[in-house]
Amino acid sequence: MPTPTQDMSRSSGLRSAIGAAFVITAGLLLAGCNPPPWASMHEAAPAPAESPPALATGKPPEGVPSPDWAAGLFGRMAEEAITGPGVCIGNFDGVRPAKDGVGRSAFGWAWDPAAGAPVSRILLVNASGRIVAAGDGGRVREDVPRARPEVSSRLTGWVVRTGDLLGPFAALGIVGGGSALCQLGRNPG
């Protein structure tokens, strides 16, 4: 049974990861274990009645800084924009006020075990799987290599500016030279 960090078939993509999280959580609860922190974040949220106008244009929402590499990805379904399955390890730690006081920032860490390197490109998708924000990795995270011996870099941190968008969000890493997505976790908003 695939977990969110295992290789998933192309047709099942993120939907299989979400289903697997429910199965894992149920198994842990039956076994008397606490579920992993990301497990409760997989509850489906109602889709907004209407997508924000910025998503329909393929551009980031107004006031949300975005890296150049993400041009044209906004509003697209993540599984259609980047179709390959990928494997990474990491976490979506949370959402906090942006350091400059304008909007919010999502943050976490990501590692690509196949490349032996930090994941440098991160997408946030909404509950329906549409890309709503993008950002870069390469932030210092001293805690990660101390806690995870397989991670050999302290530059695994990532930050994605979300402006005034509200979650829930899922964080996805782009790996495989830009051809694959891996799930980093979810945040209920």
Side-chain angles (χ1 to χ4, degrees):
M1 177 174 304
T3 66
T5 57
Q6 291 176 322
D7 193 358
M8 295 175 282
S9 72
R10 188 174 181 168
S11 64
S12 60
L14 294 175
R15 288 177 193 89
S16 289
I18 292 168
F22 284 123
V23 171
I24 291 168
T25 302
L28 290 171
L29 291 172
L30 290 173
C33 299
N34 290 329
W38 49 263
S40 65
M41 297 178 210
H42 291 278
E43 297 175 10
E50 189 176 312
S51 292
L55 293 182
T57 67
K59 296 179 183 175
E62 189 173 327
V64 178
S66 173
D68 291 340
W69 59 262
L73 291 176
F74 292 90
R76 295 179 63 190
M77 297 297 289
E79 290 182 323
E80 294 169 3
I82 301 170
T83 58
V87 176
C88 59
I89 57 174
N91 196 45
F92 186 162
D93 292 333
V95 179
R96 63 181 171 223
K99 289 186 178 186
D100 64 5
V102 179
R104 290 177 284 283
S105 295
F107 63 100
W109 66 273
W111 179 255
D112 180 348
V119 176
S120 63
R121 294 180 174 182
I122 308 295
L123 297 173
L124 292 186
V125 298
N126 64 15
S128 62
R130 292 200 182 277
I131 299 168
V132 295
D136 295 311
R139 306 284 178 124
V140 174
R141 286 289 301 259
E142 299 284 351
D143 59 317
V144 174
R146 282 195 303 262
R148 301 292 300 251
E150 70 271 30
V151 175
S152 60
S153 174
R154 60 188 190 95
L155 300 177
T156 58
W158 57 263
V159 173
V160 177
R161 296 291 299 266
T162 63
D164 292 326
L165 295 173
L166 299 175
F169 299 119
L172 307 173
I174 300 176
V175 295
S179 65
L181 291 174
C182 61
Q183 187 168 356
L184 296 168
R186 292 188 175 271
N187 187 285

